Amino acid sequence: MTHYWPEFLTVALIHFLAVASPGPDFAIVLRQAIFQSRHNALLTAVGIGLAILVHVTYSLLGIGLLIQQSVTLFNVLKVAGALYLTWIAFHCLRAKPGHMEIRPESSERQSPGKAFRLGFLTNTLNPKATLFFVSVFSVVISPGTPTLVQGFYGLYMAVATGLWFMLVALFFTLPRVRAGFARFGHWLDRLMGGVLLALAGRLLFSAATGTESAE
């Protein structure tokens, strides 16, 4: 097992750089942390972490490579992801001054199930995640690495992703941090909507032009 450590450390480093880069997952967790309860923000982070297991599973089965190589299937994933982000962005852009109160007991509070699904679906429908895991399991990880060890890599990435976004949620639900957004909360919500809409637009453009990048 010890001779797999260099490979594992490479996977861990690449994963850290990927998860720390801004994207739909970060935008969603940030919004949840600012406008929802800490409990719901953490559930969204957990949903994102568990969604990683979906990508790991189809990568181990070789389905991820099939999706990447099939223009039609990959474009369907891009469009589905873009539509989902657009739906979230629409609700963000509707924010009005005084409409969203930044406090846990706000009447706008989500159900725990909805908070979890938000994180899970955001990551599952993210083509960038598909490209990342297909690349890791087909290029970075050696074909000779046992499936059990590869599964351990995947489990690590799921746990690390969940913990990372839980830390993000914990930080942005600190009272002092929330208080800093109190006066312009609706503008932040609209900004998040604009970011998500831009990401959705790039996905649709990527699907229309046939490019693979989900960056």
Side-chain angles (χ1 to χ4, degrees):
M1 182 67 185
T2 56
H3 59 282
Y4 292 115
W5 276 109
E7 184 177 74
F8 170 73
L9 292 176
T10 301
V11 170
L13 176 60
I14 294 174
H15 172 259
F16 173 76
L17 294 175
V19 76
S21 63
D25 293 339
F26 182 84
I28 290 300
V29 173
L30 175 60
R31 182 176 187 268
Q32 288 291 94
I34 297 300
F35 296 111
Q36 296 296 323
S37 67
R38 171 172 288 183
H39 180 257
N40 280 1
L42 290 174
L43 283 175
T44 298
V46 171
I48 292 173
L50 288 180
I52 297 297
L53 295 178
V54 175
H55 301 294
V56 170
T57 300
Y58 65 61
S59 295
L60 288 175
L61 295 176
I63 299 174
L65 192 59
L66 176 64
I67 294 174
Q68 184 190 28
Q69 293 178 343
S70 172
V71 176
T72 301
L73 286 177
F74 199 51
N75 282 341
V76 167
L77 178 60
K78 289 178 182 178
V79 172
L83 291 177
Y84 186 67
L85 292 180
T86 300
W87 179 77
I88 300 174
F90 172 73
H91 289 281
C92 293
L93 293 172
R94 293 177 61 195
K96 300 177 181 179
H99 175 68
M100 184 76 75
E101 296 182 38
I102 307 177
R103 59 182 186 181
E105 66 272 18
S106 170
S107 59
E108 298 292 331
R109 182 176 178 177
Q110 299 167 327
S111 66
K114 185 175 180 180
F116 173 83
R117 287 194 302 272
L118 181 62
F120 186 82
L121 291 177
T122 298
N123 186 271
T124 300
L125 296 175
N126 184 6
K128 177 182 177 182
T130 299
L131 283 176
F132 172 79
F133 282 96
V134 169
S135 298
V136 167
F137 281 91
S138 63
V139 178
V140 180
I141 299 176
S142 169
T145 302
T147 302
L148 185 62
V149 176
Q150 294 187 40
F152 169 76
Y153 294 165
L155 182 61
Y156 162 79
M157 288 186 282
V159 173
T161 299
L163 289 176
W164 168 260
F165 285 112
M166 288 175 74
L167 287 175
V168 172
L170 288 173
F171 175 76
F172 283 100
T173 51
L174 290 173
R176 289 185 179 181
V177 176
R178 277 188 166 178
F181 293 100
R183 294 183 179 180
F184 53 92
H186 65 288
W187 287 113
L188 176 66
D189 211 15
R190 292 174 183 177
L191 176 61
M192 289 297 101
V195 170
L196 294 174
L197 197 60
L199 291 170
R202 296 185 70 173
L203 283 178
L204 289 176
F205 178 78
S206 176
T209 58
T211 56
E212 289 190 352
S213 175
E215 300 291 339

